[in-house]
Amino acid sequence: MRPSIGYLRWYWLIATLALIGYGLDLALRVSPPDAAQGNMIRAFYYHFPNWIGTSIFFPLNLAASIVYLSFRFKKPVLAMKADALAFACAEMGVLYCTLGLVTGSLWGRVTWGIWWTWDARLTTTLMLWLIYVSYLMVRGFSSASTRGVICAALAVFGFCDMPIVYMSTRWWRTQHPAPVFGGGADSGIAPNMQAAVWWNVVAWLAWGALIVSFRYSVEFRRQELESAKALDAIQENDRAGAVHG
């Protein structure tokens, strides 16, 4: 007999906590201080995974939104699942983006002496965050009949900013450093940092995927109940019309 989804999530949670603990040990105890930044380099082990998570869950939000737009009339159940997944991924992407901005600000305060600077990378990232926060606000305040389409359109619009964020340090002179990977001949990380970086990336992505699985289940169930209530209301109106007719 296959284990239920609930048991799988418990195993997933235990594995995720183990990964986070191991990553924390590597980041704070095993990995050495940086020659230039000292112990402040340890912020990178959390700042970088946050942006990896942002770069994964916002595109997943886009993909799910496109599926929703493509199948909302042909396959309504599939469209509902896609919409629920889009919402869960947007929530997780906003959380990762928020943590990335916060950890970056803390790191910048120590490294640059300022909390924030309006350079191209930070400004376009803030715009990205605001767009997806707007997405979540629309989901909370719009009616059920228009919510999915409006949010899907916002997802497409918001994703257009992601390439600009990524390319900003290449297109303009910014205070933000060049990309760690793919930024040129001197990009990359030292061998003694590799384990701490990648184990933390795996750990925090596992955590994000776990939260998304919970939020997806909750949202899909909520939409099912919402649809059932709407159908019951339509049937009740039809019965009332038949009686009065």
Side-chain angles (χ1 to χ4, degrees):
M1 184 174 63
R2 293 190 304 173
S4 67
I5 296 297
Y7 280 112
L8 289 175
R9 284 203 180 110
W10 276 111
Y11 298 146
W12 193 348
L13 174 62
I14 292 169
T16 298
L17 292 175
L19 285 169
I20 290 174
Y22 184 58
L24 183 69
D25 181 64
L26 290 174
L28 300 183
R29 187 182 66 84
V30 177
S31 181
D34 183 67
Q37 300 185 48
N39 283 319
M40 195 58 206
I41 194 61
R42 303 186 194 281
F44 177 73
Y45 301 130
Y46 302 98
H47 183 66
F48 182 64
N50 288 329
W51 291 122
I52 293 292
T54 303
S55 300
I56 289 176
F57 285 103
F58 281 161
L60 286 176
N61 165 262
L62 173 69
S65 297
I66 292 174
V67 170
Y68 169 78
L69 291 174
S70 301
F71 293 99
R72 62 195 180 100
F73 296 123
K74 301 175 184 177
K75 298 181 179 179
V77 175
L78 173 62
M80 191 185 301
K81 290 180 178 180
D83 187 52
L85 179 61
F87 174 56
C89 289
E91 281 189 327
M92 201 68 240
V94 167
L95 179 56
Y96 275 126
C97 192
T98 303
L99 292 173
L101 287 169
V102 170
T103 54
S105 181
L106 294 171
W107 194 0
R109 180 65 179 86
V110 175
T111 305
W112 302 336
I114 53 174
W115 294 102
W116 183 266
T117 180
W118 292 99
D119 78 344
R121 169 58 64 85
L122 273 66
T123 302
T124 54
T125 303
L126 180 61
M127 290 173 58
L128 182 72
W129 182 82
L130 289 171
I131 291 169
Y132 280 96
V133 167
S134 299
Y135 174 101
L136 297 180
M137 292 179 67
V138 167
R139 291 203 69 101
F141 294 106
S142 59
S143 64
S145 60
T146 61
R147 180 176 56 222
V149 175
I150 295 174
C151 287
L154 268 175
V156 174
F157 174 71
F159 184 79
C160 292
D161 189 40
M162 288 200 69
I164 300 174
V165 172
Y166 180 76
M167 296 299 295
S168 59
T169 54
R170 294 173 170 86
W171 290 344
W172 300 289
R173 292 176 60 88
T174 69
Q175 190 159 345
H176 193 281
V180 174
F181 300 100
D186 296 327
S187 63
I189 56 177
N192 58 4
M193 295 173 62
Q194 294 274 354
V197 169
W198 295 115
W199 276 107
N200 275 288
V201 167
V202 171
W204 290 106
L205 287 181
W207 172 77
L210 177 63
I211 300 302
V212 164
S213 75
F214 278 114
R215 294 297 296 138
Y216 162 77
S217 297
V218 171
E219 177 62 15
F220 180 59
R221 180 58 178 162
R222 188 194 66 77
Q223 291 193 27
E224 281 187 316
L225 293 173
E226 188 177 70
S227 297
K229 288 180 180 179
L231 182 60
D232 287 343
I234 293 172
Q235 291 174 344
E236 184 65 29
N237 288 335
D238 289 343
R239 285 193 293 267
V243 169
H244 288 89

